[in-house]
Amino acid sequence: MGGWWLLGGNDHLHCLLLTSCNHTPSLPNPLNPNLSLLQTDAQPTEAETAVWNQVSAVLEEAHGILAELQSYNGAGQEIREAIQNPSDLQLQEKAWNAVCPLVAKLKRFYEFSLRLENALRSLLEALTSPPYAPMQHLEREQALAKQFAEILHFTLSFDELKMTNPAIQNDFSYYRRTISRNRLNNQQLDAENEVNNEMANRMSLFYAEATPMLKTLSNATTKFVSENKTLPIEDTTDCLSTMACVCRVMLETPEYRCRFTNTDTMLFCMRVMVGVIILYDHVHPVGAFAKTSKIDMKGCIKVLKEQDSNSVEGLLNALRYTTRHLNDDSTSKQIRAMLQ
């Protein structure tokens, strides 16, 4: 395989990695002159512009979504008071008024996941379309490859925040129970106009997932592969395994790691690596954990476990609970033990 780019972390380090990473588990020689880390801010070529603009608009919105989720405190106290005092109408109204704007936020997050899904699909089409091989695509379309990485970074960031915030499901459950109770009493609530029953059902399924954004992208990638039967599945999986390899090399090679200017860039790299592993595991027939996998899973898990446990526990959980093939017979005991 030829040489390649990655990474770009929001306003952080934009890196270019030229590597002879050939999908084998062995680590390329970090002193190899063909392996270097440069700063770059990949700009789209004319051919990439339409897709780049579409994805760019979604990524711009992503920053606001993350900020809103980060500051999501929930209506736990109001809900508790309302439940403890069922005959106090004032407390019922107070809880309802606290929950409604939060549910409107949750609806926005869910609707954003659909736009993210479309953006991912456009990137997959651009990065796997004939006549070029995945490696050539990643070399030719560096701006799109960077956007792919940024989508994965957002996805893992969103899911980490969601996993540690039980208020989201508590608020939504209370909202649905209140709607059902009022429907029995033939009362129509204004908020129902915003989130009708069908939308509420779809949102319920979305938030019931441990990692809802990742699940959305995994499903979208699987669907993309199944709908494009003329496209060899390797075109998609090789694109993903190459990205995983580059991230791993950057994280485990001191020469590159020491150039990361802050922990955010490290996290960016780790999230992208975990994201592509999970997508690969969903799309590849035998998954990421088998001996024949083109991803060095031992190396990837090892590099995660070497980091501060607070920053990687969510990522390790994503590998434990959102992959498809971890518990297959083809997964070595050693890899399973590493993720215990």
Side-chain angles (χ1 to χ4, degrees), residues 58-121:
V58 173
L59 285 169
E60 270 176 43
E61 198 180 339
H63 301 310
I65 295 281
L66 274 187
E68 277 193 76
L69 181 56
Q70 212 150 11
S71 62
Y72 188 103
N73 294 321
Q77 191 176 338
E78 291 90 341
I79 290 170
R80 270 192 305 277
E81 288 175 354
I83 290 171
Q84 285 162 7
N85 302 280
S87 56
D88 188 326
L89 294 179
Q90 206 173 349
L91 287 176
Q92 306 308 310
E93 194 174 336
K94 187 182 173 189
W96 181 249
N97 290 338
V99 161
C100 284
L102 293 171
V103 168
K105 251 185 206 187
L106 296 179
K107 182 191 176 196
R108 272 203 307 283
F109 298 164
Y110 167 71
E111 287 173 335
F112 180 75
S113 77
L114 305 179
R115 287 197 290 286
L116 197 73
E117 186 181 343
N118 288 334
L120 179 84
R121 189 181 180 85

Side-chain angles (χ1 to χ4, degrees), residues 7 63 71 180 184 217 264 270:
L7 282 155
H63 301 310
S71 62
S180 300
L184 288 174
L217 294 198
D264 284 3
M270 291 189 285

Side-chain angles (χ1 to χ4, degrees), residues 1 20-28 241 245 248-249 252 293-296:
M1 284 287 184
S20 51
C21 193
N22 60 0
H23 306 306
T24 60
S26 60
L27 173 67
S241 59
C245 178
R248 175 180 57 78
V249 171
E252 70 187 1
S293 165
K294 289 183 178 176
I295 296 178
D296 173 12

Side-chain angles (χ1 to χ4, degrees), residues 116-287:
L116 197 73
E117 186 181 343
N118 288 334
L120 179 84
R121 189 181 180 85
S122 298
L123 286 173
L124 284 172
E125 280 169 3
L127 293 170
T128 58
S129 59
Y132 302 110
M135 202 65 180
Q136 292 171 300
H137 272 298
L138 294 170
E139 287 170 339
R140 291 168 59 90
E141 286 133 15
Q142 292 178 21
L144 297 187
K146 196 184 113 198
Q147 286 186 322
F148 194 112
E150 286 176 342
I151 280 182
L152 290 169
H153 173 252
F154 163 81
T155 298
L156 273 290
S157 303
F158 182 97
D159 286 347
E160 279 171 35
L161 289 169
K162 186 265 174 188
M163 270 199 277
T164 54
N165 194 340
I168 289 172
Q169 274 177 285
N170 293 342
D171 292 348
F172 197 63
S173 296
Y174 178 79
Y175 172 83
R176 295 211 75 183
R177 286 199 308 274
T178 307
I179 292 270
S180 300
R181 194 169 61 241
N182 286 316
R183 209 172 271 139
L184 288 174
N185 299 331
N186 291 320
Q187 290 176 310
Q188 176 82 18
L189 296 165
D190 292 344
E192 277 193 82
N193 300 329
E194 172 121 21
V195 179
N196 62 29
N197 204 38
E198 189 196 339
M199 171 62 81
N201 286 338
R202 293 208 304 266
M203 285 170 65
S204 273
L205 290 172
F206 179 75
Y207 288 110
E209 294 290 342
T211 52
M213 286 288 176
L214 205 45
K215 181 71 173 171
T216 299
L217 294 198
S218 298
N219 289 348
T221 309
T222 306
K223 192 176 170 195
F224 171 78
V225 168
S226 66
E227 285 177 358
N228 289 272
K229 298 208 185 320
T230 56
L231 185 74
I233 193 166
E234 291 78 17
D235 285 14
T236 304
T237 55
D238 283 0
C239 171
L240 298 170
S241 59
T242 305
M243 290 177 79
C245 178
V246 171
C247 292
R248 175 180 57 78
V249 171
M250 291 184 74
L251 288 164
E252 70 187 1
T253 311
E255 185 183 336
Y256 301 122
R257 201 172 58 237
C258 71
R259 299 190 207 179
F260 288 168
T261 50
N262 55 42
T263 52
D264 284 3
T265 311
M266 286 278 286
L267 260 176
F268 180 90
C269 204
M270 291 189 285
R271 284 180 182 135
V272 174
M273 181 176 78
V274 169
V276 289
I277 288 169
I278 290 166
L279 294 188
Y280 182 102
D281 194 57
H282 275 259
V283 170
H284 196 282
V286 297

